[in-house]
Amino acid sequence: MLIGRERQVRQLRTYLEGAAAGRGELLLVVGEAGAGKTRLAEEAIALAADCGVDAHRVTCWAEAGAPPFWPWSQLLIELGADPLDVAPDGSSDDSDHELARFRRFSSVAESLRALAVSQPRLLVVDDLHWADPPSVRLLTFLAPLLRDIALIIVATYRDTEVTGPTDLASVLPELVRHGRQLTVPPLEPNQLGLFVADLVGSTVSDELVARLHVLTTGNPLFTREVVSLLDAQGALDADEVAELPLPESVRATLSRRLDTVSAPCRHALGVSSVVGVEFGVEVVGEITTLDDPGLLKVLDEAERARLVRDAGRGRFAFTHPLIRETAYRELGLARRVRLHEDVAAALERAGERGGHVDAAELAHHFRKASPGGNAGKAVAYAGEAGRHAMAMLAYEAAVAHFEHALETLTLCPPDAAQQTDLLLQLGDARLAAGNLPRARLAFDEAAHLAREHRWPDRLARAALGCGSGAGGFEVPPFDAAQIELLREALSALGDSEPTTRAWLLARLSVALSIEGSDEERLALSDEAVTLARRAVDDRALAYALAAHCDVIPGPEFCEARVAEASEIVALARRHGDARGELLGRRLRVLALAELGRFVEMDTEVDAYARVADAIRQPLYAWYVPLWRGMRALMDGRFDDAAESCTEAEAIGASAHSGNAEMLTYSLQLGWLMLAGLPDEACARAHNMAERWRDIAFMARPGTALAAARAGRLDEARALLDAVDLENRSAYGAEWLCAAALAAEAAALIGGHALAQPLYDDLLPYRHLYAIDGIAAANYGCVERPLGLLAATLGHRDVARAHVEAAITNHRAVNASVLVEIAQSDLEALFGASDPAPRARAGVLRREGEVWALSYDGRTVRLRHTKGIGDIARLLAQPGREIPVLDLASEGQAVPHGDTGPRLDATARKMYKRRLVELEDEIDDADAAADSGRSERLHAERDTLLSELSGAYGLGGRARRSGDPAERARSAVTQRIRDAMTRIEAEHPSLGGHLRRAVRTGLFCVYEPDGPVEWEIVSQP
């Protein structure tokens, strides 16, 4: 039994029993070095045997040059699956780093799922803080998938070393969110006494235990080592403790352990520590010049001293990483350098004899030996290891290898070409890993060298890399350095390399979106499309078409952009280019929104989300909550919009996306405008203008409108005086929205010189929608600002027609907030709110066991369910609240049996008081980093919240146990929701209308946002 770890052992047993029943889990065993994490993992393996769970274990290496995914490859080999030590098929295509890695991670997940079908599995990954970053990313991918796999993963790590090269700290919150933490704290004094007694076979004095606890702070490993020394010296007698000089530090204790073995054994352990936590017998034997019997003899001596253990397959491992660290540190710098060189040479000879030697391991040892020479080999092997890691989709590992290669290159004779190529490869690796700012630094340095040595191909690669790589999903605006570099690269490249030239032309066209002229940008994108078509390069063509869409953002080209974006999606899907597909879908989302085709837009957003979810890169992911926030605003779901905006903001910040920051500002401004908060909107608009001064002119129309709505008419007029909408190219895709906002502002202040020109300019686009940014906010159909302008210009009949057309348009797309705003305009202008609204029509007709549902020009058929029958009854009586008991009974008597509230008043009061206490206790536990206590408190809070949520209904009313109305409410609500989900899947427009118009509860009601004439034929 593990002393002081009883709770953790019980938890392990519970989770292993769950695995036997088909439920998986990630368990994160955390504690300081020597706390007993590995011992607890070993206990998990022993428990697994009792539960019928197959167990396997691997230990991660520290600075030993392990290849990418090494721990996972070892586990997969043991399980009889394909390892991860070879590059996957198709990995050489660098256009889809993220999707390629997703597919590889998915294949690992499916392999583990298949293996767990035949037998539940336990995988132990020891010392996760030393794993290579790609291995940690794979664990992060697997964590949320484990709940439906009969697989337990136990990962141990030191909480003091999460910020090392593994970068465990960056993904730890995600791991904790999907897993369970088992903290292994130091032993308390009473536990330490039991632990020591167990070690020596008899009780020891309290004085000795107290001295040990002060020295080791309750660390089991350190205590074991100290007690081992005391026992060897016969100093465990209580009378001698006071005079015994205990070791000054634990490291000294470990060093004394090493002193207990013979000189040949100590030498072999020193050589082994250079190889790594695990080491092969052959390599150690070659360097120590011991023959096989001699080597086995000293290793047997080390094993008896509990310094190493047999790791199988001709390998040994140190029993604890701290022992390896102590042996390694005691070698001294000069000897370590020499031994690393010896190990590297031995590995090279093993490779020449046909053995498998990984470039990463050779790079590691040659780099450590580089102060003594052979720096050239260190650079060469590091470059090879980096390229292999890229092929393996281990991008973070590739970054480290290329950085090591460049660092070591400073010890070699100057080689500008090699340095430039390594910088370009480093930039590519950082891009693949999602670190755009650091990638830019590498590309900038490579560009400097390429310029200096007149290398046009390298200069072109650097120029494209500076704008987020060849795929260039998001090109930074206002980037004068990038624009200059692209022009320079085009000039240096000349007419050679047409495909590369097409990429450069398209990228320059996009980079000039704010500063360039329409004529130049159009010429650049046209030439890019021509060159890409001539070169028959689909990826280049897709990107050139995207650049062309960016050049024709005006309202007159909406349909053209939909067509070109559709071609981009088709080209990208043909080649499995997820990034290109996302780019095309992003363009389609915006164009469809401008056209008011919001049902199609929603479908496009869903398609975008599926691809973005697969890639799992924040650079692409933040658009989805942004768009869904915009749609929530149209529906008047302001809380949902705010939540989506916060999500988009957080994801965009993690992607270092300037577009995300700008567009979430736009969504927030839209929320304030549509929610009727003009003062806050005005402040937000001023903040935007201050934050992005280079395009402050683009914020003036919105700021003017916010000021006008806030009653600050002089300020609004002054802002409108500074607006110049004649220069459409300056506004680009923002022109239509800016003109619509300026038009409304001009009307609100009682007229302006811009009123007539704006009316004339907007009239051709009356049926389009004023969309801000990349579908960040929707200010409604252009008919509405045209109506306001017409009224200001004295054309009242024309104004009424425009505003009524806006109401019709807004109703057609179920934009309830925009309908309300336009109706308010109508009332303000003409004294009545939509006096004769045109009713929509729909039909629900039951044909036996099938319902025919017609709405918005479309008919679908669905099999009868009680939920559809409920909806039919509600639609037949709009505005009437129907008791849920009437819907549930369908003419039958409902049994009674109210047994009172599910929680009485006293119990509810006690629950609430305890919840308040728990919040304070949780804060205290989190502040003290007491994860075990925090976990228990969170579990208690979740239980109380669950009880309370079940005890209360709408409006805070206490639910009653056995109450027939409550049972009916639950049943009817669920079946109506299920029915609406089925309807929405087949008829999105009708499903969305019903979700907004139907309210459930103890009374159910259908309240549409405007008149709808329903024909209901419900006879079966």
Side-chain angles (χ1 to χ4, degrees):
M1 181 177 181
L2 289 181
I3 295 170
R5 310 293 183 234
E6 294 81 5
R7 180 178 64 84
Q8 291 89 341
V9 170
R10 287 196 300 272
Q11 289 177 302
L12 285 172
R13 181 178 292 280
T14 298
Y15 291 125
L16 286 165
E17 290 171 350
R23 299 187 304 276
E25 190 66 77
L26 168 64
L27 304 177
L28 299 166
V29 179
V30 55
E32 65 179 3
K37 303 181 297 298
T38 298
R39 180 66 187 86
L40 189 61
E42 291 171 349
E43 184 70 12
I45 293 172
L47 291 171
D50 296 339
C51 298
V53 175
D54 180 48
H56 300 271
R57 173 187 173 190
V58 67
T59 301
C60 302
W61 292 2
E63 296 186 354
F69 301 114
W70 184 85
W72 292 107
S73 288
Q74 301 309 301
L75 288 171
L76 290 169
I77 289 171
E78 287 191 20
L79 290 165
D82 294 331
L84 282 165
D85 57 355
V86 294
D89 293 339
S91 62
S92 60
D93 181 2
D94 66 355
S95 66
D96 271 313
H97 299 298
E98 301 89 353
L99 186 58
R101 185 143 81 172
F102 169 78
R103 287 170 176 161
R104 177 156 235 210
F105 285 6
S106 292
S107 71
V108 173
E110 289 309 309
S111 295
L112 293 175
R113 187 187 299 275
L115 289 164
V117 169
S118 59
Q119 184 178 7
R121 310 281 179 170
L122 166 67
L123 303 182
V124 174
V125 182
D126 214 0
D127 293 325
L128 183 66
H129 52 277
W130 282 336
D132 59 296
S135 290
V136 176
R137 295 301 188 280
L138 177 52
L139 178 61
T140 307
F141 179 90
L142 294 172
L145 308 178
L146 295 176
R147 294 300 170 86
D148 61 346
I149 304 176
L151 172 66
I152 300 291
I153 297 179
V154 172
T156 73
Y157 70 92
R158 298 180 190 172
D159 50 1
T160 57
E161 298 188 28
V162 297
T163 58
T166 299
D167 196 23
L168 180 58
S170 66
V171 298
L172 195 55
E174 185 75 5
L175 291 175
V176 171
R177 186 162 70 91
H178 293 295
R180 306 278 185 176
Q181 274 193 312
L182 274 67
T183 302
V184 186
L187 296 174
E188 298 294 334
N190 63 320
Q191 296 171 333
L192 191 70
L194 295 173
F195 179 74
V196 174
D198 186 62
L199 287 176
V200 301
S202 62
T203 58
V204 295
S205 70
D206 292 342
E207 182 182 2
L208 175 59
V209 171
R211 291 281 302 277
L212 286 172
H213 197 270
V214 170
L215 176 67
T216 67
T217 64
N219 184 292
L221 174 68
F222 302 163
T223 301
R224 182 188 297 275
E225 300 307 318
V226 172
V227 169
S228 179
L229 283 177
L230 293 174
D231 195 22
Q233 298 173 21
L236 286 173
D237 189 282
D239 294 335
E240 301 179 33
V241 170
E243 300 178 2
L244 178 70
L246 289 174
E248 294 178 359
S249 70
V250 171
R251 197 164 300 285
T253 302
L254 296 174
S255 181
R256 291 187 186 188
R257 279 280 305 281
L258 293 170
D259 288 339
T260 62
V261 298
S262 65
C265 181
R266 182 73 175 266
H267 173 60
L269 289 173
V271 172
S272 302
S273 73
V274 172
V275 178
V277 174
E278 283 195 17
F279 51 90
V281 173
E282 182 180 355
V283 173
V284 175
E286 185 173 343
I287 297 171
T288 58
T289 68
L290 290 169
D291 57 16
D292 289 346
L295 179 60
L296 291 176
K297 180 180 178 182
V298 297
L299 289 175
D300 182 60
E301 180 185 355
E303 192 172 11
R304 288 197 308 274
R306 299 198 310 276
L307 296 171
V308 301
R309 60 178 174 81
D310 188 350
R313 302 192 302 277
R315 302 182 68 83
F316 279 78
F318 286 92
T319 53
H320 198 281
L322 287 177
I323 296 175
R324 182 258 173 185
E325 289 180 37
T326 303
Y328 183 77
R329 187 171 284 103
E330 291 189 349
L331 291 173
L333 177 61
R335 192 173 175 210
R336 286 202 298 266
V337 168
R338 189 165 59 253
L339 283 174
H340 274 295
E341 187 172 7
D342 291 343
V343 171
L347 290 172
E348 277 192 317
R349 289 191 293 272
E352 292 169 359
R353 294 193 297 268
H356 173 72
V357 181
D358 193 87
E361 193 172 2
L362 285 165
H364 166 75
H365 289 296
F366 274 118
R367 181 167 63 88
K368 292 291 187 181
S370 59
N374 283 324
K377 281 193 173 184
V379 173
Y381 280 121
E384 181 183 341
R387 290 184 289 276
H388 178 67
M390 285 294 287
M392 291 275 294
L393 316 180
Y395 309 129
E396 298 81 7
V399 168
H401 288 308
F402 290 130
E403 288 176 343
H404 290 155
L406 285 161
E407 178 186 326
T408 312
L409 190 62
T410 60
L411 303 175
C412 302
D415 187 336
Q418 186 179 25
Q419 183 182 1
T420 306
D421 289 339
L422 285 170
L423 284 166
L424 291 170
Q425 292 171 92
L426 173 59
D428 289 338
R430 285 174 173 170
L431 275 180
N435 193 336
L436 274 66
R438 296 280 295 166
R440 176 68 178 264
L441 293 176
F443 287 125
D444 282 342
E445 192 175 348
H448 172 74
L449 290 168
R451 180 185 302 114
E452 186 177 294
H453 294 276
R454 300 181 183 276
W455 293 322
D457 291 347
R458 292 182 172 107
L459 187 63
R461 279 188 61 192
L464 290 171
C466 282
S468 71
F473 187 83
E474 188 170 295
V475 179
F478 324 119
D479 193 341
Q482 180 194 182
I483 292 170
E484 181 181 350
L485 183 55
L486 287 165
R487 291 192 189 279
E488 183 183 0
L490 279 165
S491 176
L493 197 65
D495 294 330
S496 63
E497 301 294 335
T499 300
T500 303
R501 185 171 181 82
W503 281 106
L504 289 168
L505 289 164
R507 176 63 50 77
L508 180 58
S509 171
V510 175
L512 288 168
S513 59
I514 301 297
E515 302 178 27
S517 69
D518 287 350
E519 293 76 12
E520 181 186 15
R521 296 184 63 222
L522 188 59
L524 290 168
S525 63
D526 282 344
E527 184 181 352
V529 171
T530 300
L531 286 174
R533 290 196 189 278
R534 189 181 301 158
V536 196
D537 188 309
D538 286 349
R539 287 186 60 238
L541 176 58
Y543 188 70
L545 287 169
H548 190 261
C549 284
D550 198 68
V551 179
I552 55 170
E556 63 269 36
F557 297 111
C558 289
E559 294 288 358
R561 282 185 278 121
V562 170
E564 289 190 357
S566 299
E567 184 178 1
I568 293 168
V569 172
L571 289 167
R573 288 177 64 82
R574 183 186 304 167
H575 296 278
D577 179 3
R579 182 161 35 192
E581 181 181 349
L582 290 174
L583 188 57
R585 293 197 183 281
R586 187 182 74 181
L587 290 164
R588 275 180 57 85
V589 165
L590 176 56
L592 290 169
E594 290 172 318
L595 289 165
R597 291 154 58 177
F598 293 105
V599 173
E600 292 178 70
M601 174 193 162
D602 290 342
T603 301
E604 199 66 35
V605 170
D606 290 342
Y608 181 103
R610 284 193 294 273
V611 180
D613 287 346
I615 290 177
R616 293 191 179 186
Q617 277 288 338
L619 180 64
Y620 312 116
W622 63 267
Y623 285 96
V624 176
L626 178 86
W627 294 328
R628 288 178 174 159
M630 183 270 273
R631 294 291 280 124
L633 281 183
M634 291 173 60
D635 295 345
R637 294 180 285 113
F638 295 120
D639 289 345
D640 290 347
E643 184 178 335
S644 294
C645 185
T646 300
E647 181 183 357
E649 199 171 23
I651 299 172
S654 70
H656 309 286
S657 170
N659 277 355
E661 183 183 7
M662 189 182 301
L663 292 176
T664 50
Y665 249 75
S666 296
L667 178 56
Q668 290 165 2
L669 180 61
W671 180 86
L672 295 170
M673 290 279 209
L674 297 179
L677 299 169
D679 291 315
E680 293 87 341
C682 197
R684 173 65 61 178
H686 280 297
N687 288 341
M688 290 182 70
E690 183 65 23
R691 173 67 181 82
W692 290 282
R693 293 184 180 182
D694 291 332
I695 55 169
F697 69 93
M698 298 178 72
R700 285 178 194 143
T703 310
L705 175 57
R709 288 185 175 182
R712 293 148 61 171
L713 302 186
D714 290 342
E715 179 185 340
R717 186 176 298 279
L719 286 163
L720 281 179
D721 288 344
V723 169
D724 177 16
L725 287 164
E726 292 185 9
N727 183 12
R728 292 196 184 187
S729 62
Y731 286 87
E734 302 295 320
W735 178 84
L736 184 63
C737 184
L741 297 177
E744 184 177 351
L748 287 178
I749 64 174
H752 190 273
L754 287 174
Q756 187 63 56
L758 281 172
Y759 183 87
D760 296 338
D761 288 342
L762 286 172
L763 189 60
Y765 314 118
R766 60 193 298 175
H767 300 302
L768 298 182
Y769 277 71
I771 304 297
D772 189 12
I774 306 175
N778 178 2
Y779 290 102
C781 181
V782 173
E783 291 277 16
R784 177 174 168 270
L786 281 170
L788 299 177
L789 282 176
T792 300
L793 294 169
H795 310 305
R796 292 181 58 79
D797 290 343
V798 175
R800 178 186 287 273
H802 279 308
V803 178
E804 289 180 349
I807 294 171
T808 300
N809 271 283
H810 295 162
R811 279 194 180 131
V813 297
N814 297 312
S816 57
V817 166
L818 298 177
V819 170
E820 291 172 9
I821 292 173
Q823 286 178 331
S824 177
D825 293 334
L826 201 64
E827 184 174 0
L829 291 171
F830 305 106
S833 176
D834 194 8
R838 183 178 302 170
R840 292 161 287 175
V843 177
L844 264 69
R845 183 186 302 275
R846 185 169 178 183
E847 302 167 349
E849 288 303 304
V850 175
W851 283 91
L853 298 87
S854 300
Y855 182 77
D856 204 14
R858 184 182 177 196
T859 299
V860 298
R861 283 177 167 77
L862 296 172
R863 290 192 63 81
H864 168 72
T865 64
K866 290 183 178 179
I868 297 180
D870 296 333
I871 290 171
R873 290 184 63 185
L874 294 172
L875 297 186
Q877 304 172 78
R880 179 191 166 193
E881 292 188 336
I882 301 177
V884 72
L885 286 171
D886 288 357
L887 294 171
S889 64
E890 294 185 333
Q892 299 177 6
V894 178
H896 295 276
D898 184 358
T899 58
R902 290 174 60 170
L903 289 178
D904 62 26
T906 301
R908 294 197 299 272
K909 187 175 181 180
M910 292 175 62
Y911 274 30
K912 290 180 179 180
R913 184 186 306 124
R914 179 55 183 155
L915 281 172
V916 174
E917 295 171 353
L918 281 171
E919 293 298 332
D920 293 336
E921 292 180 23
I922 288 171
D923 289 343
D924 292 342
D926 290 343
D930 188 344
S931 58
R933 180 169 174 244
S934 178
E935 181 181 350
R936 292 193 299 274
L937 294 171
H938 276 285
E940 182 181 351
R941 185 181 66 174
D942 291 345
T943 300
L944 291 180
L945 287 173
S946 176
E947 286 293 320
L948 280 172
S949 64
Y952 285 94
L954 293 175
R957 294 188 296 270
R959 288 180 175 157
R960 306 182 71 80
S961 176
D963 183 356
E966 172 55 31
R967 293 201 306 272
R969 181 205 61 78
S970 178
V972 171
T973 296
Q974 187 58 51
R975 71 197 196 191
I976 287 178
R977 287 177 180 173
D978 290 345
M980 288 194 293
T981 298
R982 291 181 60 214
I983 292 170
E984 195 166 24
E986 299 296 328
H987 197 319
S989 177
L990 175 57
H993 170 71
L994 292 175
R995 285 200 184 278
R996 285 182 291 274
V998 172
R999 188 178 76 245
T1000 59
L1002 291 176
F1003 293 86
C1004 299
V1005 63
Y1006 168 62
E1007 292 181 325
D1009 55 14
V1012 183
E1013 296 178 356
W1014 285 102
E1015 178 185 349
I1016 309 296
V1017 182
S1018 58
Q1019 292 300 320

